[in-house]
Amino acid sequence: MPVQARAIRAFVEQQDAWCLIQSREDIGESGSTHFRPGLEALLADISQGRVKHVLVHRLDRLGRTEAAIWRCIWQIEDVGAQVECCTEPLGEPGVERWLTVDRLAQGVEADYCRIVARTQAGRQLKAVNGGWPGGPAPYGYRISGKGAFGSTLEVDPAEAGVVKLLADLVTEGGRTLAGIAEELNSRGVLTRSGKRWTGTNLHRRLRGATFLGEAVFRHTDRQWGGHCTRLRSDGRPLHGESVVIPLPPILPADQIRSFQEALAELTRPRKNPIGEYLLSGLIHGHCGRPYVGCFRSKDRVRTYRCSGWNAEVSCGCAFLPADHVEEEVASHLNTLLAAIPTNSRPMMPLFSPTHTQPIQHLERVKSLERFAALCAEELDVLRGKASSLLRCASLSPSRRPSTGSWHTRGNG
């Protein structure tokens, strides 16, 4: 932001040996996320020796919680730079600096929690009163009074026509999801974002609030993706109870019921999901073609069949019983892995190649342990002094005079 940029430039100009190399921003990125492109570019600059100090306007620019702030500071320190702050001096490296950062980070998280609590309480109240609490409107609707107090949902005529068409196509039957998607594309109907329909995005729309006649704020049974409802340990929403928001009707109630029945039949699980055949494409027959999963419905046996059977001249490769083959492959892999030293076994990378090296905690933990031992010694000394003072106080008689204050009588 311009105010922050001006403050940073003014701070740099006041330092004798400093010069501003570059400004890095993460526009539109949340401070609560671990991976931010601007931060990654900054860490690359530091590792190349171009930067010795990282200057921020306030400490909350590094993160919104204590954990996020410390993580960011450690990442910067581990690649060779030091964090400084325009409005909140952090002090020289050492114990006092740690305590200052910790105190400021606690304040940042407390402010963040207050903002979240106020925001969530406002959204809850809005939903209870029938308004739209935020986020994109369900398909077929638009937000009336967007950005103003008391915004609600209203029917979007253009999308409502698509909703009615979809209800008719699903209810009349005879098409797959892919077929319905192709029908929409052939009519020139695109998604809200201007893309072509596919079986996947169509299925997502058909299961949305539009075809239920109501939307649920703080849905507790949808805990996937990046925008799920945060839950307590007992499974209830963290920031307020679930609220059902009735939607202005696009479809009559009886058509919604017919649609839901037809959709359940259309999207029922397949008997032979492809995920059951883990070795599809990984086995090759004598003809050189890959094996694929094949369910023999007559005797209900899972097998692998060579794709060469579909050629003009069948290859004649044998069918393989799926359970037996998968057990043999798993046993062989376990034997191979057991023969490889633990530190040499192949495994998934712990960090994405685009991320910087992991935070170097080992030396930091040793430093904190030394600091804890030092504090323990100082506490022992203070406890000894406190015990001595208590013994002295118990030996000196005291009384409470009429003025209401306490006096200790001396020997002089």
Side-chain angles (χ1 to χ4, degrees), residues 119-140:
T119 302
Q120 295 298 335
R123 296 182 69 195
Q124 184 78 14
L125 180 61
K126 194 171 186 179
V128 169
N129 291 332
W132 187 243
Y139 192 81

Side-chain angles (χ1 to χ4, degrees), residues 77-98:
E77 289 181 350
D78 288 345
V79 291
Q82 183 170 297
V83 174
E84 299 294 346
C85 191
C86 288
T87 58
E88 300 155 332
L90 305 181
E92 296 297 323
V95 174
E96 292 300 325
R97 179 183 175 90
W98 291 350

